[in-house]
Amino acid sequence: MQRPARLFVLGTGGLLLHGCCCAWPDLSPSGCGYDSGSYCDDDDADGYSDCSSDCDDDDPTVNPGADETCNGIDEDCDGAIDDGIWGVVVYYVDADDDGYGGGSGSTEGCSIPAGHADNNDDCDDENDDARPDGVEVCDGADNDCDGDIDEDVPDAATWYADADGDGYGNADAPVVACDAPEAHVAASGDCNDAAAEVAPGLVEICHDGIDQDCTSATADACGYTALSLDDTLAGGGLGSRDEERLGGALAYAGDLDGDGNGDFVVGNAGAGALVQGAYVVMGPVNGVVELDDVAGRLETGESGDEAGTSLAGGGDVDGDGYLDLLMGAPAATVDGAVRGSAWLVYGPEVTDCSPFCDGARLDGDLPDGRFGQAVAIVGDVDGDGLDDVLVGAPARDGGGAVALFTDAPAGMLGFAEATARLGSPAASAAGSGLGAAGDVDGDGLADLAVLDTSAGLAWLLPGTVSGEVDLASALASISPPLGDATAGSLVLADLDGDGNIDVLASGLRDESTATDAVAWGNFGPLAGSLAGEDFSVTTGGGYANAGAHAVAMDDIDFDGAGELFLASPAAAALLPPDYDEILSHGAAAWLVPGPISASWHLADSSARVSLDGDAVPAAAGDLDGDLRPDLLLGVPGDDTMGTDAGAVYVLSGGALP
């Protein structure tokens, strides 16, 4: 640039002095550039020179009198950059980058750098879901920074007060909260929150005036699921000839071959059978079973002996660790007369045995006594570790009799060689039904059940009996409360779940005089004369034979209580109109879920299965491999393969409601 004219004065000592602010005697003042040849001038014309502390004499905006602005330059030459600016920004560290700073430390600056915010309102600077404008959620954090945790959450669960502790709350008292308050539950719908025995999902006890399952404003809104055999079938076998009457007798045999699946035996004692006896069917059973393909048969080697009329299994009579089978042949010839026999077959040789392989033949002593009409393996009656055997002869000597065999019978034994022989002058057909009574008297030993189907009487006796025994010495006797009834079957099991053996007798009724009851019973402990006064099964009309057969099943619904199954022949009488839909479809079977604690109506059963002909049920273990107990159902009048050819069905416990 062009320099202005300068005045040069020759001073003392002959020195040439620069015409600037530099003063004598300092010959080389700072900023004057004396040694370098520069001069103290104002190069940027901002009124300040190097000599007057202009820190950048090439920029007129930088000088000691300039105002500091936010540009990263020391404009007022005080040695600090961007200091003393009006309107400076204060900012805070925003660690979670949610727009809100946290902590108490602040910084001033011209602008907010990344990772900082102009506030310190964040209550948790490590959680970007926690901030003043956050939405509260159920996560244990103060999401909206109001000092409260998990309050007023829009999507929080609704809880209901459960005063009776049955798992269902009162729908009229909801509470919205992340966690359940004390005595609150997630499920509502309790129609009576003061009674734990009333709640959705409980089993309805019909005709007791209480709506146990909260399904209706009217108590006792019970009903059943109508099923056909196809709905419940897990497998089955069919008779092959007219009058074979397959399924007239059934028995669950337990696991005969040790493969983990239950097995069973089915009788074909009908006159049309090519060879009377029983088929041994090994599980698992699925689909139709061809009888020619079953594991084997039990045969006596005689014709016309009605072998297979009665069957029993599931016990170890000889104590060898294998399950054994028992088959009755009440028309078998013994010593030239029709006296009847029972064939005991010891495992493991329980298939293809003719006449009886390893075991025993137990014979009746009087002609036409029908020895073998009923048989049972009753458990250990004498404490020797061996299961024992009962055989009934209901036509013996005009009143019937029963023989008890203990100590692993072998070879051929007669009625007189039995451990005990039971009968009564009051009986008319003692031994027409037999059963294991469990431990009725609590002595740790198995007891006996004897049924007289003709008189409608039953007796429970201690298994320790021996010699000649009068049935009048029974621990308990059961007689029907109605004079026109004869007994169809006897059920001995813990029906109400209290640990005691209970009894139910089902009845065959004279339809012309029948009233409602078809079965009756007493809850244990059982003793003395019983008349079925504790509970009854009714039909609502003159359906006389609805209780022709009854059997107790193991627990199929896993509620800790067994079930009851009743089967009947076809109806033969007109029914009241209100029960026409329920009972007028011919033969049927009903499933009654346990525990049983009061009387009930068949219409209130959980399921009704339509049948083709009379039905004989038998409880069974798991036959189809679904880990639930199943039900055997024999229908000897089934006409699928011929007139009264018969059939046996496996009703899957998993398919029954």
Side-chain angles (χ1 to χ4, degrees):
M1 78 183 155
Q2 186 177 1
R3 294 183 181 276
R6 288 174 169 80
L7 174 64
F8 294 92
V9 179
L10 184 62
T12 305
L15 296 176
L16 183 63
L17 301 178
H18 188 271
C20 70
C21 62
C22 301
W24 182 265
D26 188 355
L27 300 182
S28 56
S30 174
C32 292
Y34 179 82
D35 293 332
S36 62
S38 59
Y39 301 92
C40 287
D41 53 2
D42 183 8
D43 290 342
D44 54 9
D46 59 2
Y48 297 89
S49 69
D50 290 341
C51 296
S52 55
S53 302
D54 192 339
C55 54
D56 188 352
D57 205 30
D58 290 327
D59 186 346
T61 64
V62 177
N63 56 72
D67 292 328
E68 193 78 17
T69 63
C70 286
N71 59 4
I73 299 173
D74 180 16
E75 291 165 296
D76 59 3
C77 294
D78 65 354
I81 297 174
D82 294 344
D83 62 316
I85 302 170
W86 183 84
V88 69
V89 178
V90 179
Y91 53 86
Y92 305 84
V93 173
D94 180 11
D96 54 12
D97 201 26
D98 61 0
Y100 295 89
S104 58
S106 63
T107 305
E108 295 182 350
C110 297
S111 61
I112 302 174
H116 293 72
D118 63 356
N119 63 84
N120 67 338
D121 298 334
D122 202 334
C123 56
D124 184 355
D125 204 31
E126 300 296 327
N127 180 7
D128 60 359
D129 288 328
R131 57 184 187 272
D133 65 349
V135 177
E136 198 70 35
V137 297
C138 293
D139 62 355
D142 181 11
N143 303 101
D144 56 6
C145 292
D146 64 353
D148 296 320
I149 294 175
D150 293 348
E151 88 290 353
D152 300 327
V153 178
D155 297 327
T158 300
W159 308 94
Y160 304 90
D162 180 16
D164 57 11
D166 60 8
Y168 290 88
N170 183 357
D172 296 331
V175 175
V176 177
C178 292
D179 298 315
E182 185 177 357
H184 284 67
V185 294
S188 64
D190 197 339
C191 55
N192 184 351
D193 202 32
E197 67 273 12
V198 175
L202 294 184
V203 175
E204 185 68 32
I205 299 174
C206 304
H207 303 292
D208 66 350
I210 301 173
D211 182 16
Q212 274 91 2
D213 59 4
C214 292
T215 57
S216 172
T218 301
D220 304 326
C222 302
Y224 62 85
T225 300
L227 301 169
S228 68
L229 284 176
D230 291 339
D231 297 319
T232 61
L233 192 62
L238 300 172
S240 57
R241 297 172 183 82
D242 290 352
E243 304 298 330
E244 186 172 15
R245 296 193 63 79
L246 183 74
L250 296 166
Y252 178 58
D255 185 6
L256 292 171
D257 54 2
D259 66 352
N261 297 297
D263 309 311
F264 67 95
V265 190
V266 52
N268 64 323
L274 184 62
V275 178
Q276 294 168 331
Y279 295 96
V280 181
V281 183
M282 300 295 188
V285 179
N286 290 285
V288 176
V289 176
E290 295 292 339
L291 295 180
D292 290 340
D293 297 330
V294 299
R297 281 182 53 83
L298 300 179
E299 298 176 356
T300 65
E302 300 181 19
S303 60
D305 59 0
E306 299 180 23
T309 295
S310 59
L311 296 166
D316 183 4
V317 178
D318 59 353
D320 64 353
Y322 294 98
L323 297 176
D324 308 317
L325 298 175
L326 184 63
M327 177 176 68
T333 299
V334 179
D335 296 332
V338 177
R339 306 175 192 272
S341 297
W343 302 77
L344 179 60
V345 181
Y346 288 137
E349 192 176 18
V350 294
T351 60
D352 296 321
C353 283
S354 179
F356 61 85
C357 302
D358 182 22
R361 193 184 82 185
L362 312 174
D363 295 328
D365 64 335
L366 297 180
D368 302 320
R370 301 292 294 176
F371 187 85
Q373 181 71 38
V375 296
I377 298 177
V378 294
D380 182 9
V381 303
D382 53 8
D384 64 354
L386 305 177
D387 291 332
D388 301 307
V389 169
L390 278 182
V391 182
R396 182 184 184 276
D397 203 20
V402 176
L404 170 66
F405 293 89
T406 63
D407 304 323
M412 291 184 289
L413 300 174
F415 181 84
E417 297 171 275
T419 303
R421 296 163 296 281
L422 300 83
S424 172
S428 55
S432 48
L434 299 172
D439 184 9
V440 174
D441 56 5
D443 65 355
L445 299 175
D447 298 318
L448 314 176
V450 176
L451 181 65
D452 183 336
T453 58
S454 178
L457 298 172
W459 299 269
L460 306 181
L461 296 105
T464 53
V465 295
S466 62
E468 302 294 330
V469 178
D470 191 329
L471 291 172
S473 64
L475 297 166
S477 61
I478 302 101
S479 58
L482 304 171
D484 63 340
T486 58
S489 59
L490 193 68
V491 171
L492 287 153
D494 182 8
L495 300 175
D496 59 357
D498 69 350
N500 293 306
I501 300 295
D502 309 311
V503 62
L504 176 141
S506 64
L508 302 173
R509 304 294 305 284
D510 180 350
E511 290 177 322
S512 64
T513 60
T515 54
D516 284 356
V518 295
W520 45 89
N522 288 85
F523 296 120
L526 304 174
S529 298
L530 307 172
E533 60 270 18
D534 289 349
F535 62 93
S536 63
V537 183
T538 59
T539 65
Y543 193 60
N545 294 331
H549 303 283
V551 64
M553 296 180 63
D554 285 338
D555 184 12
I556 65 173
D557 53 7
F558 301 128
D559 67 351
E563 330 301 346
L564 186 66
F565 202 87
L566 292 93
S568 67
L574 295 176
L575 303 171
D578 53 336
Y579 293 105
D580 184 71
E581 179 184 354
I582 298 171
L583 300 174
S584 66
H585 297 298
W590 287 267
L591 178 67
V592 180
I596 295 166
S597 58
S599 298
W600 74 95
H601 194 291
L602 282 180
D604 299 322
S605 303
S606 64
R608 176 188 185 278
V609 183
S610 297
L611 305 174
D612 179 16
D614 300 354
V616 179
D622 180 19
L623 297 173
D624 60 352
D626 68 352
L627 303 182
R628 293 176 185 260
D630 303 313
L631 184 81
L632 288 166
L633 195 63
V635 186
D638 189 286
D639 295 329
T640 302
M641 298 298 291
T643 302
D644 289 337
V648 58
Y649 298 97
V650 177
L651 274 64
S652 174
L656 292 170

